[in-house]
Amino acid sequence: MKKTGFMGCLGTLTLCLTTIVGCQKKVSQPTAMTPPVVVLKVAQTRDVQRSTTFPGKTVPYQTVDIVPRVKGYLEEINFVPGEIVKPGQVLFTIQDFDYKVAQSKAYAELKSAVTELDLARSLYESAVKTNQLTPNTVTADEMVQKKARVENAQSKVYAAQANYQYQTQQLYYTKVKSPIRGKVQKNLVDVGNYVQGTGAEILTSVVEMDPMYVEFDVPEEVFSRMYRRMVQETGGPTIGSAKPATANNSAPQEGKLTAPPIPAADQAYGEKLHAQPAFTGEHAPVPPKKEQTVSAPENPSTSQSDTAQPAATAEEKPASEPAAMVGQTSPEIPTPAEDFDVKGADSSGTGLAGERQSQEEKLMEFELTFMGGESDVTCTGVIIYADNRVNAKTGTILCRGEFQNPHYEVYPGRICNVRINGSVCKDALVVDERAVCSDLNSKYLWVVDAKGVVEKRPVLSLELLPDGKERMLEPYREEKVRNMDGFETIVRTGIQPGEQYIVEGYQKVRPGTTVSPKSTVMP
């Protein structure tokens, strides 16, 4: 039994070896390698608009933080967060009862001061008439005292008038308004909170986004070329020659830098302040006398800041008083005025750029594109500003452009690309950017000749075109290079118009490889 089992195993092993040998005889021999299939494209020339692209960031045209200027409880919020507000629109209302009371009190003090001035003036005029009819009836000391009383009363009127103006302005500040047009932020303080009025507490903010600015940094050598081209095209800015002032001529010379005039208080606040008068003498010719009366409002405690207070009226007096009486009429009570001109940004969306273009001044234009694949959002504008110095840390110059944003599509703080067009390059050689390969030494293309043989061709690349899909190359060159053995070799650089190069599938080729004649040629 054991012998039979051994013979059975031996037979089975023999059968397996025979089967393996038979299978090996049926394996086919390897054939020649199939030429790789690649995608080709033909090099062509065309006119190309050269341009330079810089990364930038959008900046709002105007930004205003709305802060309270008086303290009190916040009574109302008069806007919807996110809406477009107008210049002068009331955004917040602060409780104004205390300020109305203060305004009424200041008005009463002003009326009392005007009454005292009229009384002092009448007494002085009576003494003057008495001395004219009966000389020396009123002594010189008494005349000086009466004149001083008029001066003192006039000073009190000025002080009361200033206090009334101040209290009226404080009442006006209880209506917190927007000084510009723009998109308003949500309220940062709710109704019922007490605001201090110190300017440190921000209620909301308003941002004007039409027009918009874009700021970007330009390398100094690139900026130099751009500026020279701008000067050639536009003539550059008009700069006057600076002439130093001579010792004999203290007047400002042409080209000399002078500080701008500082506006007066009445220009800054729109208030008509009265200058302090001064007496010129006792026995001057007598001008006509005007009698002043002041009427109080029906209910001063409830008068609003934007309602004009009653102005002083005057009546003619006999021509018997001296010209020394300066300030014959009591000062007018001014109409409450706003503390700023509510002028918003140019609603046409042109701003400074529009003003310059209206003056037929040529400006350098740019095109704005945004990152993130928003190809449908493209803005154009003009460069309106360049900084007056080079940033020593980065070697760049800050530039600012302005563009229209009528529908508020572009928000401040967005990262974008600013493209500035340069000169037009005629008959430029352009290839597909996907075909340009790189190694440690240079950039190269895989060029395919008429027989389908692949050649590795070095190229000298220029800038990438704005669409990011094509690149300009320097023209084709052939140079003779002498090696160490004294033999000369022709080195070809670049590609000629009409030659074919590989766009896709160059990973499968090597120098001297023959590609399939079925390779696809892209237009």
Side-chain angles (χ1 to χ4, degrees):
M1 293 296 295
K2 292 182 180 180
K3 188 174 181 180
T4 303
F6 175 76
M7 293 301 293
C9 292
L10 183 61
T12 302
L13 179 61
T14 303
L15 179 62
C16 292
L17 291 175
T18 304
T19 303
I20 293 174
V21 173
C23 292
Q24 288 181 349
K25 291 182 180 180
K26 294 181 182 180
V27 175
S28 61
Q29 297 295 327
T31 59
M33 183 177 297
T34 304
V37 178
V38 294
V39 178
L40 305 179
K41 203 168 186 179
V42 180
Q44 299 176 349
T45 59
R46 70 170 188 268
D47 296 344
V48 174
Q49 174 71 61
R50 308 187 73 166
S51 62
T52 308
T53 303
F54 307 97
K57 183 174 68 173
T58 56
V59 180
Y61 182 79
Q62 284 181 308
T63 302
V64 175
D65 291 332
I66 307 299
V67 298
R69 302 183 66 172
V70 293
K71 60 184 179 180
Y73 286 97
L74 200 62
E75 280 191 335
E76 296 179 0
I77 297 177
N78 309 100
F79 66 93
V80 178
E83 70 172 337
I84 308 300
V85 298
K86 300 178 181 179
Q89 180 175 336
V90 178
L91 303 181
F92 298 90
T93 301
I94 299 175
Q95 193 177 54
D96 59 357
F97 176 79
D98 294 340
Y99 299 100
K100 289 180 179 179
V101 172
Q103 184 197 36
S104 299
K105 182 179 178 182
Y107 181 81
E109 293 175 352
L110 175 59
K111 182 180 178 182
S112 176
V114 170
T115 303
E116 290 183 8
L117 175 61
D118 290 340
L119 176 61
R121 182 176 294 150
S122 298
L123 294 176
Y124 178 77
E125 292 168 357
S126 177
V128 171
K129 291 179 182 179
T130 300
N131 276 349
Q132 289 177 350
L133 297 175
T134 307
N136 298 325
T137 301
V138 181
T139 63
D141 291 342
E142 291 177 342
M143 291 296 297
V144 170
Q145 292 177 3
K146 294 181 182 296
K147 187 192 302 183
R149 183 178 178 182
V150 173
E151 290 272 6
N152 188 30
Q154 182 73 72
S155 300
K156 290 182 179 180
V157 169
Y158 283 120
Q161 175 186 338
N163 184 41
Y164 174 76
Q165 289 176 333
Y166 173 76
Q167 297 299 339
T168 301
Q169 205 77 359
Q170 293 295 99
L171 178 60
Y172 170 78
Y173 289 152
T174 58
K175 305 291 185 181
V176 183
K177 302 180 180 181
S178 172
I180 65 172
R181 177 186 68 120
K183 190 178 183 68
V184 65
Q185 187 188 15
K186 68 180 181 68
N187 57 295
L188 303 180
V189 179
D190 294 327
V191 172
N193 285 275
Y194 188 85
V195 294
Q196 297 294 335
T198 59
E201 189 174 13
I202 299 177
L203 302 180
T204 187
S205 63
V206 180
V207 177
E208 173 57 294
M209 296 187 287
D210 179 29
M212 280 277 286
Y213 290 144
V214 57
E215 293 184 350
F216 54 98
D217 293 320
V218 180
E220 52 183 324
E221 64 276 4
V222 178
F223 178 83
S224 180
R225 294 196 301 268
M226 292 171 49
Y227 190 81
R228 284 197 299 269
R229 183 169 64 86
M230 183 198 70
V231 171
Q232 293 174 358
E233 295 179 356
T234 66
T238 303
I239 303 175
S241 59
K243 298 179 180 179
T246 59
N248 298 330
N249 185 11
S250 59
Q253 301 293 324
E254 181 182 358
K256 182 179 179 180
L257 299 177
T258 57
I262 300 176
D266 57 343
Q267 297 176 3
Y269 295 95
E271 302 168 353
K272 186 62 178 177
L273 302 180
H274 297 268
Q276 176 67 31
F279 290 104
T280 58
E282 291 187 36
H283 305 291
V286 180
K289 179 183 177 183
K290 297 181 181 179
E291 187 175 314
Q292 176 69 35
T293 60
V294 177
S295 58
E298 295 181 0
N299 189 1
S301 62
T302 60
S303 60
Q304 299 297 328
S305 62
D306 55 351
T307 304
Q309 297 296 331
T313 60
E315 295 181 0
E316 296 293 334
K317 284 191 175 183
S320 60
E321 58 185 22
M325 286 303 302
V326 181
Q328 298 298 329
T329 59
S330 298
E332 296 181 358
I333 299 176
T335 302
E338 296 186 357
D339 59 326
F340 52 78
D341 290 333
V342 284
K343 294 180 180 179
D346 186 359
S347 59
S348 63
T350 56
L352 180 58
E355 294 178 4
R356 294 188 177 182
Q357 287 180 339
S358 63
Q359 300 173 0
E360 298 183 356
E361 180 180 351
K362 296 181 180 179
L363 298 176
M364 185 174 293
E365 299 181 353
F366 67 86
E367 183 176 333
L368 199 67
T369 56
F370 297 93
M371 299 182 179
E374 293 187 51
S375 58
D376 56 333
V377 182
T378 303
C379 304
T380 58
V382 293
I383 299 176
I384 61 172
Y385 168 78
D387 208 350
N388 58 359
R389 67 191 67 188
V390 177
N391 189 329
K393 295 182 179 179
T394 60
T396 58
I397 297 177
L398 177 66
C399 295
R400 169 183 284 182
E402 182 180 302
F403 63 95
Q404 299 182 22
N405 187 29
H407 302 294
Y408 285 34
E409 292 180 302
V410 182
Y411 271 56
R414 292 201 59 182
I415 304 301
C416 55
N417 290 323
V418 182
R419 181 166 65 90
I420 301 176
N421 292 330
S423 58
V424 177
C425 183
K426 299 290 185 179
D427 298 330
L429 183 63
V430 180
V431 297
D432 196 309
E433 171 65 12
R434 296 174 297 170
V436 181
C437 304
S438 302
D439 56 18
L440 297 177
N441 297 322
S442 63
K443 295 182 179 295
Y444 59 91
L445 292 176
W446 294 102
V447 181
V448 180
D449 60 11
K451 298 180 180 180
V453 179
V454 178
E455 175 188 356
K456 183 179 179 181
R457 185 84 56 82
V459 294
L460 298 177
S461 64
L462 299 178
E463 65 265 22
L464 185 67
L465 297 189
D467 57 5
K469 299 180 180 179
E470 294 179 311
R471 180 179 292 274
M472 292 177 54
L473 300 180
E474 288 195 355
Y476 175 83
R477 292 188 180 90
E478 290 187 359
E479 299 179 358
K480 292 183 178 180
V481 178
R482 185 181 297 273
N483 55 25
M484 298 180 62
D485 298 333
F487 294 97
E488 291 183 349
T489 304
I490 297 179
V491 178
R492 293 181 294 179
T493 303
I495 187 172
Q496 299 185 66
E499 287 189 303
Q500 296 180 351
Y501 59 94
I502 300 177
V503 178
E504 297 179 3
Y506 50 75
Q507 299 88 350
K508 300 178 289 184
V509 302
R510 293 292 182 270
T513 302
T514 301
V515 297
S516 172
K518 297 181 181 179
S519 299
T520 305
V521 179
M522 300 178 63

